Amino acid sequence: MRYGILRLATLSVLFAAVASAIFCSQALASDEIFSVPADLALRIRLDDTLTSVDSQVGDPFSATVVDKGEYRSARVYGHIASIDMSGKLKGHTSMMLRFDRIVMLDGRRAPIHAEVIQLYHAPSGEKVEVEGAIESGGRGRTAIAHSAIGAGAGALLGGIFGGGKGAGIGSIVGGAGGLGTTAFHGRQKITLTSGLEMLIRITGR
């Protein structure tokens, strides 16, 4: 009886030692810092929605790696580095993202620097410019279309009510109405929705 109790106690001690060793090894693995090779390209999917209107510089974000291979399902963390709004009638809004670290499924982590090199199916025509800056889509055609429609409608009304002279005045009024419509749209907006995929390139640590 005493031998059985002693044996059970010994097995319990051994089990506790093995469990402790496994726990320590997992803890060490989760804290391990590894290196990500430069020029590595990763396709990631945003976990958060970022906009030039509602987001602020410094706001954090995360993304999930969707590439097949050893980095699949790893999490990438970063923050918004800058937001530069366009003018009301011209220019583009730009947003710069900074990538801080990547965390693997087993807990290993690595500090990274990366730049965006491509956006996939951006909802508002956003594109990637120099040094990875994300720029709002153009609106030149929209401005011209609004102006042309306004001028045409003004000329038609002017012709009805005032003949040739009225048509000229109507064109001026209509054109102003078209420009007013463009101005009403205000500054361009960048919207990077949750689920949007982008390609980033690792540039260093």
Side-chain angles (χ1 to χ4, degrees):
M1 181 69 176
R2 183 179 298 177
Y3 176 75
I5 295 174
L6 181 61
R7 183 179 180 184
L8 181 60
T10 302
L11 290 175
S12 298
V13 171
L14 288 174
F15 177 78
V18 171
S20 177
I22 292 174
F23 176 79
C24 289
S25 64
Q26 289 178 341
L28 288 174
S30 65
D31 291 335
E32 180 183 350
I33 297 177
F34 72 106
S35 297
V36 179
D39 292 326
L40 174 69
L42 294 173
R43 184 163 175 160
I44 62 175
R45 182 178 60 242
L46 276 179
D47 300 325
D48 310 282
T49 294
L50 308 175
T51 77
S52 56
V53 175
D54 301 316
S55 303
Q56 296 181 355
V57 172
D59 281 358
F61 67 87
S62 65
T64 302
V65 178
V66 296
D67 282 326
K68 294 181 179 179
E70 62 177 310
Y71 295 96
R72 185 175 180 83
S73 298
R75 299 290 295 280
V76 175
Y77 296 89
H79 65 278
I80 299 176
S82 66
I83 299 175
D84 294 318
M85 299 298 294
S86 69
K88 289 186 177 181
L89 292 177
K90 62 180 180 179
H92 296 271
T93 293
S94 65
M95 176 187 291
M96 181 72 76
L97 303 182
R98 286 280 181 259
F99 298 90
D100 304 319
R101 66 189 184 279
I102 183 171
V103 180
M104 303 293 285
L105 284 178
D106 61 5
R108 290 178 300 143
R109 61 192 61 221
I112 60 171
H113 290 295
E115 63 180 5
V116 180
I117 57 177
Q118 186 175 352
L119 298 176
Y120 297 97
H121 310 297
S124 302
E126 290 84 357
K127 55 188 178 180
V128 180
E129 290 299 321
V130 180
E131 298 181 352
I134 297 171
E135 188 175 89
S136 57
R139 65 178 169 209
R141 291 183 180 178
T142 302
I144 293 171
H146 278 282
S147 181
I149 292 170
L156 177 62
L157 291 175
I160 292 173
F161 293 108
K165 184 177 180 181
I169 297 173
S171 297
I172 296 172
V173 174
L179 291 175
T181 303
T182 303
F184 177 78
H185 283 291
R187 293 182 172 87
Q188 291 186 327
K189 179 181 178 181
I190 291 176
T191 300
L192 306 178
T193 56
S194 173
L196 176 70
E197 295 187 3
M198 62 180 69
L199 190 67
I200 65 173
R201 182 176 66 88
I202 306 298
T203 57
R205 296 177 55 182

